[in-house]
Amino acid sequence: MEGAEENKHVIRVGTRKSQLARIQTDSVVEMLSKRFPSTHFDIVAMSTTGDKILDTALSKIGEKSLFTKELENALERNEVDLVVHSLKDLPTSLPPGFTIGAVCKRENPYDAVVFHPKRYGNTLSTLPEKSVIGTSSLRRAAQLKKKFPHLEFKDIRGNLNTRMKKLDEKEDFSAIILAAAGLRRMGWKNRIGQILTSDECLYAVGQGALAIEVRAKDQDILSMVSALQDPETVLRCIAERAFMKRLEGGCSVPVAVNTVVKDSQLYLTGAVYSLDGSDSLKETMQSCINFPQQEVEGPNDDVQHVGITALGVSHQALESAECLGTGLADLLLSKGAKEILTVARQLNDSR
């Protein structure tokens, strides 16, 4: 049967080199292989700028496409056919010619606390006064400073392995905050000492979801990856991304969200914070997302919603989710969100 292997159609999949990126890519390739057994998937690993500049706080570098640029270049040059990303790494507007062809079913989107071995059994509230918590996220720090004023927060950079090492091998940090999804994918669920609830810490836009980026004009690949589209996740993430886009949020400002789907309604909670969390605005809005999927494949089938092409999901539902995000952002802007974010951005730039 040697010849059969060679006749297989080959699809090249781009990924970052970090262990988590590889694990995420492998899981997507596994799902695709199950659905398309006659296709062979080749994984191409690349280093990105974000992986190379490890000594600078993410929010200071200010480049949205930090972890994605090199991968997109390869996509553009036809060296790979699709790229797997953490959705939260992808800017709300993609460069022309690219689209997110699928958003896979979301993992737990919440943040988790990993404690230093000497601090096992604690929660953030029971840690001693002035304990140092490592996080490179302005969003996490802003919310947690307000909630846990007895703690101190310091930047910690590096991939997951590096951060865990810094926590365990030194005495610098009592705990670090990481996305629960990444820890679970790495097989480190047992290190999660506490999952932060939505009362304690709203999550980042798109957190916990994997996105597959493709060339926008590549119909074959687009329809192939759309098999992995999770309608509920995609609607939640479109609302979250539309909210962030209207606020012009990104790595360098504290913007946070929470989404729930219940009884065909999508509920979006969104918030903005000052850097120390003392000033904040938070609101919730809802919108109906239960519409029949029209059978007619119209010419506007490839309409992108905040960078996402969601084949097989009702246009009305997608529209509704996007309007929900924009509407909630407008509500916060009418209450002074712009001022809070402008000050946060200026302060962060001057740090």
Side-chain angles (χ1 to χ4, degrees):
M1 282 301 289
E2 273 177 19
E5 257 310 297
E6 287 170 16
N7 296 337
K8 272 194 173 185
H9 182 43
V10 175
I11 300 285
R12 298 148 309 163
V13 183
T15 175
R16 283 167 61 190
K17 278 186 176 159
S18 79
Q19 188 186 355
L20 179 61
R22 291 300 305 260
I23 288 172
Q24 294 181 162
T25 301
D26 290 344
S27 77
V28 166
V29 166
E30 189 182 344
M31 290 188 287
L32 285 171
S33 303
K34 276 194 181 125
R35 286 176 176 80
F36 304 99
S38 61
T39 302
H40 180 75
F41 295 91
D42 262 349
I43 297 177
V44 183
M46 293 167 251
S47 280
T48 67
T49 314
D51 296 312
K52 292 169 194 154
I53 331 179
L54 286 176
D55 49 356
T56 315
L58 268 185
S59 60
K60 300 288 286 179
I61 303 166
E63 175 54 61
K64 275 266 189 64
S65 53
L66 210 58
F67 294 112
T68 57
K69 195 79 210 107
E70 280 89 344
L71 298 169
E72 280 171 350
N73 290 344
L75 206 48
E76 192 166 27
R77 291 191 301 257
N78 247 330
E79 291 164 12
V80 297
D81 302 301
L82 56 111
V83 174
V84 179
H85 301 279
S86 293
L87 180 59
K88 78 170 178 183
D89 290 342
L90 283 171
T92 49
S93 304
L94 298 187
F98 301 105
T99 189
I100 296 164
V103 181
C104 307
K105 191 168 169 52
R106 197 173 206 166
E107 245 281 12
N108 180 330
Y110 289 96
D111 291 308
V113 189
V114 178
F115 293 91
H116 187 280
K118 287 188 179 160
R119 298 283 180 211
Y120 282 160
N122 275 287
T123 61
L124 289 182
S125 51
T126 63
L127 282 174
E129 194 78 27
K130 299 256 183 287
S131 293
V132 177
I133 311 299
T135 173
S136 52
S137 154
L138 299 178
R139 171 189 60 81
R140 290 171 182 150
Q143 294 180 80
L144 298 173
K145 277 174 185 169
K146 175 88 170 129
K147 205 86 186 161
F148 304 101
H150 69 293
L151 301 174
E152 290 186 359
F153 292 86
K154 290 215 169 99
D155 263 331
I156 183 167
R157 275 290 320 276
N159 60 34
L160 280 185
N161 303 61
T162 313
R163 289 187 204 193
M164 294 293 265
K165 225 175 141 89
K166 283 181 183 171
L167 171 69
D168 289 345
E169 294 179 6
K170 296 184 174 157
E171 303 285 326
D172 300 358
F173 300 100
S174 292
I176 58 178
I177 318 285
L178 299 164
L183 289 161
R184 292 165 67 130
R185 290 189 185 118
M186 293 287 276
W188 295 339
K189 208 163 102 200
N190 63 327
R191 286 301 307 267
I192 297 177
Q194 179 181 6
I195 297 260
L196 297 172
T197 62
S198 48
D199 296 332
E200 294 168 315
C201 195
L202 298 180
Y203 43 79
V205 168
Q207 183 158 306
L210 297 183
I212 307 174
E213 188 179 17
V214 299
R215 290 179 288 274
K217 296 265 184 289
D218 202 331
Q219 289 303 329
D220 294 348
I221 303 285
L222 239 165
S223 79
M224 170 186 261
V225 301
S226 72
L228 302 189
Q229 195 84 265
D230 182 63
E232 183 175 304
T233 301
V234 88
L235 291 166
R236 287 171 62 188
C237 290
I238 283 172
E240 293 171 16
R241 284 168 65 81
F243 172 72
M244 169 117 114
K245 184 175 187 175
R246 178 58 61 103
L247 288 175
E248 298 177 346
C251 256
S252 52
V253 287
V255 171
V257 293
N258 184 70
T259 42
V260 180
V261 172
K262 191 171 185 257
D263 304 330
S264 57
Q265 293 283 322
L266 171 58
Y267 296 83
L268 169 66
T269 299
V272 300
Y273 302 90
S274 58
L275 290 190
D276 64 358
S278 60
D279 210 359
S280 67
L281 286 168
K282 174 173 156 183
E283 295 288 342
T284 302
M285 278 172 68
Q286 71 193 82
S287 161
C288 176
I289 50 159
N290 189 13
F291 299 98
Q293 164 64 357
Q294 280 102 350
E295 290 308 307
V296 194
E297 297 283 300
N300 63 344
D301 249 16
D302 291 353
V303 174
Q304 288 196 35
H305 296 269
V306 272
I308 298 172
T309 303
L311 301 180
V313 181
S314 143
H315 293 316
Q316 283 164 292
L318 296 166
E319 246 350 278
S320 175
E322 186 165 0
C323 290
L324 174 63
T326 311
L328 183 63
D330 285 338
L331 176 61
L332 290 189
L333 288 167
S334 74
K335 298 188 171 206
K338 196 101 199 125
E339 291 67 31
I340 294 178
L341 292 178
T342 302
V343 171
R345 199 175 266 120
Q346 288 165 344
L347 268 176
N348 184 53
D349 289 344
S350 65
R351 283 201 307 178

